[in-house]
Amino acid sequence: SFTKTNRNINQTSFIDATKTPIIDLYIHSKNKDKQCVQCQKCPIFEICGGGFIPHRYHSGNGFDNPSIYCSDLIKLFSYIQNTLLNQLDIKEKEKMEYLD
Ligand code: SF4
């Protein structure tokens, strides 16, 4: 909907452009308060951030959704996490548990 804001580069400053709801949402799309409830409660939110914002859109409720690729994102991040953990030696893993 960027193109439906009736703003253009000749008449709108960048700062004013960021004040439109759709651009404000885009810029702050990784903020937790701009996420759906499912993402706000997600244990991997800090890594995923709700995914790519266009993948959250639904005509019924806008961007108030998890990514359409949510289950794939969980699989991907879990795979990466497990791969990294398997490469750490036991002392490094113990340090990580201590930091939790
Ligand atoms: S899109 Fe899915 S994996 Fe990503 S933060 Fe939201 S609920 Fe979690």
Side-chain angles (χ1 to χ4, degrees):
S1 298
F2 285 132
T3 58
K4 298 175 183 164
T5 61
N6 291 325
R7 288 174 168 81
N8 62 62
I9 60 171
N10 294 318
Q11 298 171 343
T12 308
S13 72
F14 182 75
I15 295 296
D16 286 341
T18 63
K19 293 176 182 168
T20 61
I22 187 69
I23 296 175
D24 178 68
L25 175 64
Y26 181 79
I27 291 171
H28 299 105
S29 64
K30 295 296 182 186
N31 292 4
K32 214 164 196 175
D33 66 337
K34 303 281 187 186
Q35 303 287 330
C36 68
V37 172
Q38 182 178 333
C39 290
Q40 290 181 17
K41 294 179 179 176
C42 178
I44 64 167
F45 174 78
E46 298 302 325
I47 299 167
C48 176
F52 186 43
I53 190 168
H55 298 163
R56 290 164 33 192
Y57 185 77
H58 186 277
S59 59
N61 61 349
F63 296 96
D64 192 22
N65 305 291
S67 170
I68 193 169
Y69 298 112
C70 178
S71 62
D72 295 314
L73 290 167
I74 292 170
K75 286 178 194 168
L76 174 64
F77 292 129
S78 298
Y79 177 81
I80 293 169
Q81 180 183 40
N82 290 335
T83 300
L84 290 172
L85 285 174
N86 287 335
Q87 294 179 5
L88 295 176
D89 69 31
I90 190 72
K91 286 188 178 182
E92 290 170 320
K93 288 180 188 174
E94 286 172 356
K95 282 186 216 169
M96 291 176 68
E97 288 170 7
Y98 176 75
L99 293 175
D100 285 342

